[in-house]
């Protein structure tokens, strides 16, 4: 209050400093929400190596980009399949910590037997696959569907190896032993070769996925390749 009875709008320098400090404390700086981990850029690659290791309770898969010499390069996906649980459900992750989902597939009853829907991290379906039971009598055959893009038919190349694998699964206890002989699936559309999956010879389970069409979703191709192994023993 000044000498004329009017309230003063000014204060001492110390009072103004205190007010500024109080205002600063009352208005904290905005915080940024954490951003989700980005999926690796797998669509730009055409060849992948899938390696599986076994434990008593689970099968661990590591998907790597193949180097020019065919060896394993940068890992781009990881998956784990519980051996003592119901089969037909596998989740693929972008890193070894299994915190970020790349894709997942799960079987459901369908008129063709089991249909496996492949979904992204948000649960949105972007493809599916199923085994063609009628065509699989002599050689295992799969149908892979990518909506709006293509319909692939994957068939085991060798009739002889297909027959040996068929008999192998019906020998007591032998069905639980990994089939070490190499085999290959060729995926075509209208007779044109668009993708191959080759199981390599050896005691360790190792596949090479080669994609010949740029439009094929790499997530779908990787999920299906994992299914070839995870669904081998039903």
């Amino acid at each position: 209050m000044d000498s004329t009875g009017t309230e003063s709008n000014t204060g001492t320098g110390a009072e103004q400093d205190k007010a500024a400090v109080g205002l600063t404390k009352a208005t904290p700086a905005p915080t940024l929400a954490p951003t989700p981990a980005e999926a690796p850029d797998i669509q730009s690659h055409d060849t992948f190596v899938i390696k599986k290791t076994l434990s008593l309770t689970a099968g661990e898969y590591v998907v790597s980009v193949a180097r020019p010499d065919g060896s394993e390069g940068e890992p781009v996906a990881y998956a784990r399949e519980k051996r003592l649980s119901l089969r037909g459900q596998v989740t693929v992750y972008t890193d070894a910590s299994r915190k970020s989902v790349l894709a997942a597939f799960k079987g459901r009853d369908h008129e063709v037997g089991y249909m496996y829907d492949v979904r992204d991290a948000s649960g949105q379906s972007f493809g599916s696959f199923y085994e063609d039971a009628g065509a699989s009598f002599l050689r295992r055959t799969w149908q892979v569907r990518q909506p709006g893009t293509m319909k692939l038919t994957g068939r085991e190349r060798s009739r002889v190896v297909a027959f040996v694998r068929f008999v192998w699964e019906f020998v007591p206890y032998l069905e639980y032993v990994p089939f070490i002989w190499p085999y290959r699936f060729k995926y075509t559309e209208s007779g044109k070769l668009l993708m191959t999956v080759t199981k390599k010879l050896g005691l360790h389970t190792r596949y090479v996925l080669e994609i010949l069409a740029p439009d094929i979703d790499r997530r779908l191709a990787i999920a299906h390749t994992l299914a070839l192994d995870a669904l081998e023993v039903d």
Side-chain angles (χ1 to χ4, degrees), residues 112 130-137 139-143 153 155:
V112 298
Y130 65 90
E131 185 172 5
D132 190 333
S136 290
F137 181 72
R139 287 184 292 173
R140 296 191 74 173
T141 303
W142 290 82
Q143 302 294 336
T153 298
R155 181 174 289 113

Side-chain angles (χ1 to χ4, degrees), residues 15 21 27 34 39 57 83 93 108 117 151 169 191 197 204 234:
E15 290 173 341
V21 171
T27 312
T57 59
R83 302 183 66 191
Y93 300 90
R108 59 180 171 86
D117 298 303
K151 299 178 180 179
E169 293 181 359
V197 176
H204 298 288
D234 298 320

Side-chain angles (χ1 to χ4, degrees), residues 88-91 103-110 114-120 123-130 142-143 145 147 219-220 223-224 227 231:
Q89 181 175 359
V90 173
T91 302
F105 66 83
K106 182 178 181 180
R108 59 180 171 86
D109 290 326
H110 193 266
Y114 270 106
M115 174 73 74
Y116 297 89
D117 298 303
V118 186
R119 303 180 184 276
D120 60 19
Q124 184 69 32
S125 175
F126 59 87
S128 62
F129 54 83
Y130 65 90
W142 290 82
Q143 302 294 336
R145 300 290 183 261
R219 299 171 301 170
L220 175 60
H224 175 65
L231 306 176

Side-chain angles (χ1 to χ4, degrees), residues 2 20 26 32 40 52 55 60 62 78 86 99 112 127 148 169 173 230 233:
D2 58 17
L32 297 178
K52 180 183 181 182
S55 67
E60 302 278 352
V62 178
Y78 301 79
L86 294 176
K99 292 182 179 180
V112 298
E169 293 181 359
Y173 303 108
V233 180

Side-chain angles (χ1 to χ4, degrees), residues 156-166 168 174 177-185 197-207 228-229 232:
E156 201 165 357
R157 185 183 65 174
S158 172
R159 296 178 184 270
V160 175
V161 175
F163 177 75
V164 174
R165 289 180 63 209
F166 177 79
W168 183 284
L174 196 59
V177 179
F179 187 77
I180 64 173
W181 197 259
Y183 56 83
R184 188 184 190 195
F185 279 83
V197 176
T198 305
K199 184 179 185 297
K200 294 298 185 177
L201 175 66
L203 296 176
H204 298 288
T205 304
R206 186 170 176 267
Y207 298 86
L228 290 178
D229 185 86
E232 183 69 22

